[in-house]
């Protein structure tokens, strides 16, 4: 899911979070989260929900089925 990977990076950077911080919040290894951002793996459904909650977007927005908010991260 290339769009998911792109959105994860955009949203994380908009919130000024490091990959390490996000991985700690999600209780994942930093390598696992890095793979998500580099399109090297796909998160589970529960992890997708946590990511959407963390970034304040819908699941559709997160995976690219709907556009991200004008100012992501706010």
């Amino acid at each position: 899911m290339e769009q998911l990977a792109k959105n994860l990076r955009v949203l994380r950077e908009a919130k000024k979070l490091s990959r390490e911080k996000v991985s700690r919040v999600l209780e994942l290894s930093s390598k696992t989260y890095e793979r998500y951002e580099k399109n090297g793996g796909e998160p589970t459904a529960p992890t997708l929900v946590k990511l959407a909650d963390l970034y304040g977007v819908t699941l559709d927005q997160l995976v690219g089925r709907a556009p991200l908010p004008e100012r992501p991260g706010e």
Side-chain angles (χ1 to χ4, degrees):
M1 293 168 103
E2 191 172 328
Q3 190 61 48
L4 170 63
K6 183 186 214 181
N7 287 348
L8 288 174
R9 184 183 49 79
V10 166
L11 291 164
R12 179 180 56 77
E13 290 175 353
K15 285 210 174 240
K16 297 178 176 34
L17 296 171
S18 68
R19 285 184 180 137
E20 291 76 23
K21 174 68 175 171
V22 173
S23 64
R24 279 195 303 268
V25 169
L26 298 175
E27 299 177 336
L28 301 169
S29 75
S30 58
K31 281 290 190 192
T32 298
Y33 183 76
E34 182 178 357
R35 281 194 296 272
Y36 297 160
E37 279 195 13
K38 292 186 175 183
N39 201 29
E42 293 183 11
T44 62
T47 300
L48 285 170
V49 171
K50 288 179 186 178
L51 285 162
D53 288 345
L54 174 66
Y55 293 129
V57 296
T58 67
L59 287 172
D60 280 347
Q61 289 171 317
L62 188 65
V63 299
R65 293 179 52 146
L68 290 176
E70 288 291 319
R71 302 174 128 204
E74 290 188 355

